[in-house]
Every structure is written in C-alpha cells, then in structure tokens.
Amino acid sequence: AIKDVLVSETSQPAVQKFIADLYWPIYERIGLDPNSEFDRANPVQATLLRGPVVNMVAVQGRAQPARAELAKRGAAYLGLSPGVVTSDGKVHPDAVDANLVDLALGVAVQDIGAPVVDTILALLETERDGTIRSRMLAALTRSIDPVIAAKVRDLAFSDSLRVNEVPIIVYAGMGERANTAAAWAWFTANFDAIKERMPTFNQGGLARIGRRFC
C-alpha cells in the first residue's frame, strides 16, 4: 500500500529497489523451484515463503533476473516457447510451481505483452477449468499497456465470460497504479452496464472500487 498509494512516481524506482534488496537474500535461498537446500531442511516453511518472497522480489521489487525467469515460465504454462508467438493451445501446469502460477502469468503479461495476452484470450475460448480461467483473467488485468488494458476491461461485457468472472475484471482492473485513471473513467462511464453484469451479491461491493483514491 505504501509503494502503490503513498509513494510519488519519482520515488517508485528507489522503493522498488529497496524491496528487492530486502528480500533478495531469502529469494536466493529458496528460488523458484521446490528443490533447494532450504526446501529439504524446512519443506513447510519453504512452501509458505516461496510465493510471498517471489512476489516481493519479482513483482513489487521488479528485480531481474528473477522477473525474466518468472515471465518465461508463465509463457511456458500457456504453451509459448521463447521467441514463439503462437501457443500449442494447451495449458502446461508443470511449467511453473503451483504456488507461483498467478505471479508467473501476471509478469508474463506485463513483460512479454501481446503474444501472452493473445494466447490467454484464445485459451479462454476453450478452457473449462474455473481455477485456470480465473488465473488467466486475473493475469490479463496486470497489463499496463493502455491499449491492452482497455481491451481487457471490455471483457466485462463479453458473453464469453461467466457471471462469476466479471468481478475479476472489474475489481482487479484498478489494481495497477498505471491503470487507475483510465479504469476509473471506464467504471464511471459504464457504471449501469457494469452493475447489470455483476452477480447480485457483488453489486454492493462496487463501492470498494474507489478505495484506490483513499
């Protein structure tokens, strides 16, 4: 919250570096794979730590090469090989640790861009597993490319989405600082239509959209 809401744009890089430096020693001990010496000595603790630590280093701290490796694995999860812009049309769960799938997909969307986004949109046409669909939709909302972000927001009005998936687009669309202004303008301009698309039990929660400005 401090990094995303209170810190000025000019201070963002310094804060990101501070976060990455703070958690890097732990990241080096546990890495992305559950086969480190730390895993062997402390398997439960390692499992609990890996997701939060990787998030702090690669997502909040934007540290390389952790971020590049995470993006590569996110793309592989979607059937994309390095340098290839067309997926094999299948999801590959073994490509990334199960606890890191959400992070890997989000970083892949941000750092690889259109090939990953297009692959996810294609996979959503055929994928039926609700958990996988939710992960892919949440990853799409991580894009900070204004054109892609606008395209993702409009998925809320697509009949291809299940009713329970619409809130992912609406709420998570405000998650990235770079998207906040455009997402708020979209939300206010389309409020009635968005409300109609939301499950009834979610409609009251729409007031939470404004918390980014508090």
Side-chain angles (χ1 to χ4, degrees), residues 56 90 192 202:
M56 296 306 285
K90 300 176 184 177
D192 290 337
N202 276 122

mmCIF file of all heavy atoms in Angstrom, residues 56 90 192 202:
data_model
loop_
_atom_site.group_PDB
_atom_site.id
_atom_site.type_symbol
_atom_site.label_atom_id
_atom_site.label_comp_id
_atom_site.label_asym_id
_atom_site.label_seq_id
_atom_site.Cartn_x
_atom_site.Cartn_y
_atom_site.Cartn_z
ATOM 1 N N MET A 56 7.525 -10.323 -3.632
ATOM 2 C CA MET A 56 8.240 -9.119 -3.218
ATOM 3 C C MET A 56 9.420 -8.810 -4.134
ATOM 4 O O MET A 56 9.666 -7.651 -4.473
ATOM 5 C CB MET A 56 8.719 -9.268 -1.767
ATOM 6 C CG MET A 56 7.593 -9.387 -0.747
ATOM 7 S SD MET A 56 6.378 -8.051 -0.827
ATOM 8 C CE MET A 56 7.290 -6.721 -0.092
ATOM 9 N N LYS A 90 -2.452 -25.446 -25.389
ATOM 10 C CA LYS A 90 -2.655 -26.247 -24.190
ATOM 11 C C LYS A 90 -2.051 -25.539 -22.981
ATOM 12 O O LYS A 90 -1.108 -24.765 -23.103
ATOM 13 C CB LYS A 90 -1.992 -27.619 -24.346
ATOM 14 C CG LYS A 90 -2.523 -28.443 -25.502
ATOM 15 C CD LYS A 90 -1.727 -29.740 -25.633
ATOM 16 C CE LYS A 90 -2.174 -30.551 -26.851
ATOM 17 N NZ LYS A 90 -1.355 -31.784 -27.018
ATOM 18 N N ASP A 192 -23.765 1.671 -15.016
ATOM 19 C CA ASP A 192 -25.035 0.926 -15.092
ATOM 20 C C ASP A 192 -24.852 -0.421 -15.779
ATOM 21 O O ASP A 192 -25.381 -1.443 -15.324
ATOM 22 C CB ASP A 192 -26.098 1.754 -15.830
ATOM 23 C CG ASP A 192 -26.556 2.959 -15.024
ATOM 24 O OD1 ASP A 192 -26.412 2.924 -13.779
ATOM 25 O OD2 ASP A 192 -27.043 3.925 -15.627
ATOM 26 N N ASN A 202 -22.487 -9.241 -5.492
ATOM 27 C CA ASN A 202 -21.289 -8.425 -5.655
ATOM 28 C C ASN A 202 -21.592 -6.943 -5.862
ATOM 29 O O ASN A 202 -20.702 -6.106 -5.761
ATOM 30 C CB ASN A 202 -20.460 -8.891 -6.847
ATOM 31 C CG ASN A 202 -19.527 -10.032 -6.509
ATOM 32 O OD1 ASN A 202 -19.606 -11.084 -7.104
ATOM 33 N ND2 ASN A 202 -18.633 -9.834 -5.541
#
